[in-house]
Amino acid sequence: MKNLSDEYVWKALKEGDLNAFSILYKTYYPMLYNYGLKISRKVPLTEDTLQDFFLYVYEHRENLSDLDSIAPYLFSSYRRHLIKTLKKKSKIVSFDEMDVKVIDIQFTPEEILTHQESETFKNKNITVLLNKLPKRQKEAIYLKYYSGLNTNDIASIMEVNYQSAANTIHKAIKNLREEVSILQLINS
Amino acid sequence: MAKKNYNTIEDFLSDESFNNWAKANRLTDVDFWDEWIAYNPNKKDLVYEAKDIILGVQFKLNEPSKEKINSEWALLENKIKANNLEVQKKQSPSYFKLIGIAASILLLISVGLYTFNGNPEKITYKTAYGEVLNLKLMDGSLVTLNANSSIYYYKNDNRKVWLTGEAFFQVDKKTTTNAKFWVVTDDLNVEVYGTSFNVDTKHQKTAVFLEEGSIWLELKNGTTQKMTPGNFISYSSVNNLITEQKEKVDSRFKTSWKDGSIIFEKLPLVEAIQKIQDTYGLTAIFKDETCKTKLITGGIPITNLSICIKAIEKSANVKITKLKNQLIIQKK
């Protein structure tokens, strides 16, 4: 389904409408902030790179291509911008080896709600199991359930087609279900 | 509801009724699927995997506060404005003057739209003919907007929405604040606590169908009316008349459009064609009067006109020709 407001906001931004840009900023700031924090693990750096990134988007608005959906563009461009900055600024080797395309997301127990609607995810080891998933599956889980993005947007961010993004999500859930049932067998 | 085979995970995921079951949303769907699973034990794994995909892992979001976001935005906005001024200074004086005037006009307009701290921004959604839009409002309520319809609300009062056209609402109950949700049309206001219902404002009247929960209608003539599930009321403020009222209507006939089809049961063709005109923005001419009274039964898609025409032709045994924006209906 086409997202009308996204299309409208994007068009207005390209025409230099600061109100439209403010809507865009306030809508996506929380999601990108969390995403940046997951990648860089540093608050000040995340904030600084976000400001630089949004300024860049506004100043280059005339060169932006037309978009149906804004989220994929913002997520991939910001990720690229953040990792570039990390590589430039940081002397830590691990960032040097960072791949712009594949990121390794780590979940912490504090982030998982104690109240889970699904029986499967109520398991107390769920954080460990989540972190054990392959990187791509972790990222898909993050984008879908943490950032609340739809499969179409996830596919664009991960640069794969819709079916492949859907499969990655399904596989991740399947893996988690299997791991949880194995744990239950062992414990019973 | 379930009418097809469910073999792959996608079959389940793409089924709205299944989604309702997974989220324990609608009683009729919950009953249906509980029974379906009991009869199809071999699909149990697949069913629960699909359920987990729908429910997902719930995260506690560590989001920056509104104040934080606003102050970060203020910093960025200042930077942008400062940069703009520099750019303008470099340009020729007459051009600069022109921009100055334009900027002051812009500023006036934006003050009109935006007060300094409350900014009651108006948010509008619109659909074209043959288009259906699923929306999530700021308060979490879900709206499915039918073809050629529009809805708007103000950001600072996001539980009051104005509707023209047709929409189906699933309103989130705010148990802590007991905040009401309002739908405003030309004819009446619907007062809601948490429920699902359909509102249709086409043809100078407002028709409300309640699927679940309870709502109050506040008609433009000042009277109020309570509705219980299954009730259907159609009211027009133009002649201050309740044009139709039914105690118990099968929800499929009033809300199936949001799942992509309109369902007819023994409906005269002329009424069915009216619905198609509304959905696709067409006019219709009956070459043979006798065609008008033919009864049709079945479902037609609302986003694919050619299949829709074929389905009607078959069901009513008539011939329909489309000429630009006109449907010509005649005997076969």
Side-chain angles (χ1 to χ4, degrees):
Chain A
M1 198 117 351
K2 239 184 179 173
N3 196 333
L4 289 181
S5 76
D6 261 19
E7 207 183 302
Y8 168 77
V9 167
W10 197 246
K11 224 175 140 190
L13 162 65
K14 283 180 73 175
E15 286 158 9
D17 183 336
L18 210 52
N19 280 343
F21 189 55
S22 142
I23 293 171
L24 179 102
Y25 182 93
K26 287 171 185 174
T27 310
Y28 288 101
Y29 190 94
M31 281 191 244
L32 292 174
Y33 176 86
N34 275 321
Y35 192 55
L37 211 52
K38 272 266 174 274
I39 299 171
S40 76
R41 294 164 207 176
K42 288 189 181 95
V43 172
L45 194 83
T46 303
E47 288 177 352
D48 290 350
T49 50
L50 260 179
Q51 290 296 72
D52 292 346
F53 169 68
F54 273 112
L55 188 64
Y56 176 89
V57 170
Y58 189 80
E59 287 183 337
H60 293 80
R61 60 186 183 275
E62 278 156 8
N63 306 329
L64 299 171
S65 46
D66 289 328
L67 293 178
D68 284 343
S69 182
I70 298 177
Y73 168 80
L74 292 180
F75 272 74
S76 357
S77 317
Y78 173 58
R79 178 176 63 198
R80 222 174 300 130
H81 172 76
L82 175 61
I83 292 178
K84 257 190 209 161
T85 316
L86 280 171
K87 283 185 171 173
K88 233 187 271 170
K89 281 191 178 172
S90 170
K91 288 172 184 85
I92 304 168
V93 189
S94 69
F95 286 131
D96 246 11
E97 289 163 353
M98 218 169 207
D99 187 338
V100 180
K101 283 196 174 151
V102 187
I103 52 169
D104 187 11
I105 285 169
Q106 289 295 313
F107 297 99
T108 64
E110 296 77 42
E111 283 172 333
I112 318 278
L113 277 183
T114 34
H115 168 79
Q116 290 286 329
E117 279 177 46
S118 158
E119 284 298 322
T120 315
F121 307 128
K122 276 183 186 144
N123 193 289
K124 61 179 190 303
N125 293 307
I126 197 72
T127 322
V128 181
L129 300 182
L130 274 169
N131 286 333
K132 261 176 36 187
L133 290 173
K135 285 179 191 168
R136 300 284 285 177
Q137 291 183 16
K138 269 192 289 191
E139 188 180 1
I141 291 278
Y142 176 85
L143 293 172
K144 180 152 177 79
Y145 302 113
Y146 204 110
S147 303
L149 297 174
N150 64 37
T151 311
N152 258 326
D153 286 350
I154 295 170
S156 313
I157 295 171
M158 298 182 73
E159 293 175 9
V160 293
N161 64 29
Y162 178 92
Q163 198 47 53
S164 153
N167 289 345
T168 310
I169 297 161
H170 301 173
K171 256 187 237 153
I173 297 288
K174 199 175 181 170
N175 279 340
L176 288 171
R177 284 177 55 82
E178 279 167 8
E179 293 284 337
V180 166
S181 59
I182 292 169
L183 279 180
Q184 276 162 351
L185 273 179
I186 297 169
N187 293 338
S188 62
Chain B
M1 240 177 238
K3 44 194 174 278
K4 50 174 188 181
N5 291 326
Y6 295 87
N7 295 318
T8 67
I9 200 118
E10 273 79 15
D11 294 340
F12 291 104
L13 292 175
S14 60
D15 188 288
E16 187 169 321
S17 148
F18 182 82
N19 276 269
N20 284 332
W21 169 77
K23 296 179 201 155
N25 252 354
R26 223 197 296 178
L27 274 182
T28 47
D29 293 328
V30 170
D31 289 347
F32 171 84
W33 281 100
D34 284 346
E35 199 172 317
W36 193 93
I37 294 159
Y39 279 107
N40 298 278
N42 58 325
K43 299 268 169 73
K44 213 174 158 186
D45 264 355
L46 210 53
V47 162
Y48 281 96
E49 198 177 308
K51 184 179 176 179
D52 275 350
I53 291 169
I54 292 165
L55 295 180
V57 189
Q58 277 136 336
F59 289 100
K60 205 186 294 171
L61 297 182
N62 165 34
E63 289 191 341
S65 69
K66 273 228 162 74
E67 293 75 38
K68 174 77 189 163
I69 298 172
N70 285 337
S71 71
E72 288 288 299
W73 165 251
L75 286 174
L76 185 66
E77 195 180 19
N78 284 337
K79 219 180 238 176
I80 288 173
K81 284 182 176 160
N83 286 358
N84 277 350
L85 275 181
E86 262 168 48
V87 173
Q88 283 165 14
K89 274 180 196 156
K90 283 179 199 150
Q91 276 151 356
S92 69
S94 63
Y95 186 56
F96 175 58
K97 209 172 165 187
L98 206 66
I99 287 183
I101 296 167
S104 59
I105 293 171
L106 252 180
L107 192 71
L108 276 176
I109 296 169
S110 44
V111 168
L113 293 170
Y114 241 70
T115 56
F116 284 105
N117 37 22
N119 55 335
E121 280 167 57
K122 184 172 161 184
I123 304 205
T124 308
Y125 295 96
K126 250 187 150 112
T127 50
Y129 284 115
E131 184 181 53
V132 172
L133 189 67
N134 281 315
L135 305 167
K136 189 170 187 178
L137 302 183
M138 278 169 73
D139 73 322
S141 298
L142 301 174
V143 180
T144 311
L145 199 58
N146 205 347
N148 186 33
S149 303
S150 78
I151 192 169
Y152 69 83
Y153 62 91
Y154 293 93
K155 239 180 165 174
N156 61 343
D157 186 11
N158 58 54
R159 274 173 82 84
K160 188 170 191 175
V161 300
W162 280 260
L163 170 76
T164 20
E166 183 169 20
F168 182 80
F169 296 86
Q170 281 165 286
V171 172
D172 252 15
K173 200 169 188 168
K174 294 276 176 254
T175 35
T176 41
T177 55
N178 249 345
K180 285 176 197 163
F181 185 95
W182 290 90
V183 181
V184 182
T185 77
D186 285 342
D187 303 292
L188 50 82
N189 301 336
V190 188
E191 180 187 328
V192 189
Y193 283 106
T195 183
S196 38
F197 58 100
N198 195 69
V199 183
D200 175 6
T201 73
K202 291 184 204 106
H203 308 296
Q204 280 112 45
K205 52 97 185 91
T206 296
V208 182
F209 169 74
L210 177 66
E211 189 174 74
E212 248 181 56
S214 77
I215 53 182
W216 282 91
L217 301 186
E218 198 181 277
L219 307 184
K220 283 279 142 88
N221 66 11
T223 59
T224 56
Q225 190 137 12
K226 192 182 162 83
M227 289 181 76
T228 53
N231 282 181
F232 174 79
I233 294 177
S234 173
Y235 169 78
S236 167
S237 64
V238 181
N239 37 22
N240 183 21
L241 214 66
I242 291 186
T243 49
E244 206 182 340
Q245 183 157 21
K246 282 180 183 152
E247 272 303 302
K248 200 84 199 162
V249 177
D250 187 333
S251 106
R252 283 185 305 148
F253 299 121
K254 296 298 174 195
T255 65
S256 67
W257 64 265
K258 73 186 166 63
D259 304 322
S261 62
I262 312 178
I263 297 175
F264 302 126
E265 198 183 57
K266 291 188 188 141
L267 196 74
L269 184 60
V270 63
E271 284 179 45
I273 291 289
Q274 183 59 54
K275 292 231 173 184
I276 289 154
Q277 289 177 259
D278 295 346
T279 306
Y280 291 102
L282 303 165
T283 54
I285 296 179
F286 282 84
K287 279 232 165 136
D288 305 289
E289 284 296 310
T290 50
C291 291
K292 285 188 174 175
T293 50
K294 286 196 174 189
L295 298 180
I296 85 158
T297 298
I300 55 149
I302 58 171
T303 49
N304 186 328
L305 183 60
S306 64
I307 295 180
C308 164
I309 290 177
K310 277 181 201 139
I312 300 259
E313 278 184 324
K314 214 169 167 192
S315 169
N317 197 28
V318 291
K319 187 172 179 299
I320 302 177
T321 333
K322 185 177 174 277
L323 264 181
K324 282 184 184 162
N325 282 329
Q326 198 165 54
L327 295 178
I328 298 153
I329 299 133
Q330 60 199 100
K331 272 192 257 178
K332 229 176 195 170

